[in-house]
Amino acid sequence: MPLPLYLLALVVFAMGTSEFMLAGLLPDIASGFDVSVGTAGTLTSAFAVGMTAGAPLVAALVRDRPARGSLLGFVLTFSTAHVVGALTTSFAVLCATRVLAAVANAGFLAVALTTAAALVPPDRKGRALAVLLSGTTVAMIAGVPSGSLLGTALGWRAALWAVALVCLPAALGILKGVPPHPVRPGGTAEPALRSEIAQLRSPGLILAMLLGALVNAATFGSLTFLAPLVTGSAGLARPWIPAVLVLFGAGSFAGVTLAGRLSDQRPGLVVAVGGPLLVIGWPALAVFAEVRTAFLTLVFVQAALSFAVGSTLIARVIHEAVEAPTMAGAYATAALNVGAAVGPLVAAAALGAMGSRGPLWASAVLVLTALLAALLFGRVTGAARSRDAFR
């Protein structure tokens, strides 16, 4: 894999750390602003909303600009938003900084996904995207627990400062290592924006985006409220929260790594096997939460399955949007973050109604909905492309 892919993954690591570390800081943020944990959880949704709306809009605005300059601008904006968030005493302002950071994250990820796909041959797109998304899983293994520990020791604001600082060497890496204009395979010309937007009518693309959003909603719903589950139903002490997040991150890394080797040739196998196992696994985690060994094992397994299936579906979005080369990354980012926005909201409602196990049951319902939607979508459209999308 080309070196620029790993430099882009470094930035994804910093951004992933910011996005996911709130799962371990929600109780402290809620206490600091005198709001409920459920209300604090809307920070995750605010971030996801910013990414969902920002990805296609920002990608369209910068599609004619040099990739390196766009990526650098997004990283610096992301860092600035964290500085403001660390200084504010208003929960509303903190929410606004999360939206701004998310828009910058969305723009970066949309351009980075397209850049990553353009740096490798078509039959290696899945592996290239796995390298890029591995930045997120490494963030969950190292960045998120570190942010949680730093927040516990010095306050959640210190964690925001840390993310802002990590962005600086990442920006230097982009400036030095990323080519300004990724070369398109075969030297093909860039299509018109209207033509790229028209690709959203493709049944295969719609299917991949829908399934990716639903599976990601399940993942983010349970991850956002993992801390209350650890100290509530699982009955573990607060110091266990970073450890469980590390375990979840390790599982996600394993899932992305496995999917990276299968998503180009056998995406259907990943979805057909991983999807039903996810539907079974989320309720199992809820039922066996009080059994420590089972709880920890299932956290790892569910993370691996969630990211294996989720990253495969995101890779399929890129494959299905092959005729939208500058917007494919935006479509993938939007699909991923529609789920990240909806998931915590659904999970928060389940948390209020059913307690700390509620988000797990909600995740099961979301994945089951994805599987049913896949069957229904294929039958309703009868489109060859939608059937071929997951061979």
Side-chain angles (χ1 to χ4, degrees):
M1 290 288 106
L3 175 61
L5 281 177
Y6 296 95
L7 296 173
L8 294 175
L10 174 62
V11 183
V12 174
F13 164 78
M15 293 182 169
T17 296
S18 171
E19 184 173 6
F20 295 125
M21 73 181 180
L22 290 187
L25 300 176
L26 286 182
D28 292 335
I29 294 175
S31 176
F33 287 100
D34 194 25
V35 298
S36 68
V37 174
T39 299
T42 60
L43 290 171
T44 301
S45 292
F47 195 95
V49 167
M51 289 195 70
T52 302
L57 176 61
V58 176
L61 290 175
V62 303
R63 66 192 297 269
D64 296 323
R65 298 178 182 274
R68 182 170 60 193
S70 298
L71 293 169
L72 183 61
F74 292 138
V75 173
L76 295 178
T77 300
F78 186 83
S79 179
T80 300
H82 281 73
V83 171
V84 176
L87 293 173
T88 187
T89 58
S90 166
F91 185 76
V93 172
L94 180 61
C95 281
T97 65
R98 296 303 290 171
V99 173
L100 176 61
V103 171
N105 191 347
F108 176 87
L109 191 56
V111 176
L113 285 167
T114 302
T115 301
L119 289 173
V120 297
D123 63 348
R124 302 190 73 187
K125 285 184 180 181
R127 293 193 65 181
L129 297 183
V131 170
L132 185 67
L133 294 177
S134 69
T136 298
T137 61
V138 173
M140 298 182 69
I141 296 171
V144 172
S146 297
S148 181
L149 289 172
L150 184 62
T152 299
L154 301 177
W156 60 268
R157 297 177 190 275
L160 295 184
W161 280 110
V163 170
L165 292 176
V166 169
C167 288
L168 299 182
L172 182 61
I174 290 174
L175 189 61
K176 296 295 185 180
V178 176
H181 298 282
V183 179
R184 301 191 188 285
T188 56
E190 182 178 292
L193 178 59
R194 179 177 297 180
S195 174
E196 295 200 53
I197 293 176
Q199 295 304 308
L200 289 172
R201 294 196 296 265
S202 165
L205 178 57
I206 293 172
L207 177 60
M209 293 178 69
L210 175 62
L211 299 188
L214 287 168
V215 170
N216 201 55
T219 304
F220 272 76
S222 288
L223 177 60
T224 299
F225 297 104
L226 194 57
L229 179 69
V230 171
T231 58
S233 298
L236 300 175
R238 283 181 59 84
W240 273 93
I241 293 176
V244 173
L245 289 174
V246 168
L247 189 61
F248 193 96
S252 66
F253 182 79
V256 165
T257 301
L258 175 63
R261 299 183 181 278
L262 293 176
S263 60
D264 286 317
Q265 287 79 34
R266 302 295 299 277
L269 177 65
V270 178
V271 176
V273 174
L277 289 177
L278 278 174
V279 174
I280 297 171
W282 288 124
L285 185 56
V287 171
F288 295 105
E290 296 175 356
V291 182
R292 182 175 299 182
T293 302
F295 174 74
L296 296 177
T297 300
L298 285 168
V299 165
F300 179 89
V301 171
Q302 288 302 101
L305 290 171
S306 293
F307 276 79
V309 175
S311 63
T312 295
L313 293 171
I314 295 305
R316 294 317 301 173
V317 173
I318 299 294
H319 277 276
E320 288 298 311
V322 66
E323 296 180 19
T326 70
M327 294 297 292
Y331 299 155
T333 302
L336 192 150
N337 286 283
V338 164
V342 172
L345 295 177
V346 174
L351 179 72
M354 304 171 63
S356 60
R357 301 174 203 252
L360 302 176
W361 290 102
S363 292
V365 172
L366 287 167
V367 177
L368 179 59
T369 302
L371 297 180
L372 294 176
L375 293 175
L376 179 62
F377 189 93
R379 290 177 180 176
V380 170
T381 62
R385 186 167 184 178
S386 69
R387 290 195 303 268
D388 292 342
F390 299 99
R391 289 181 299 181

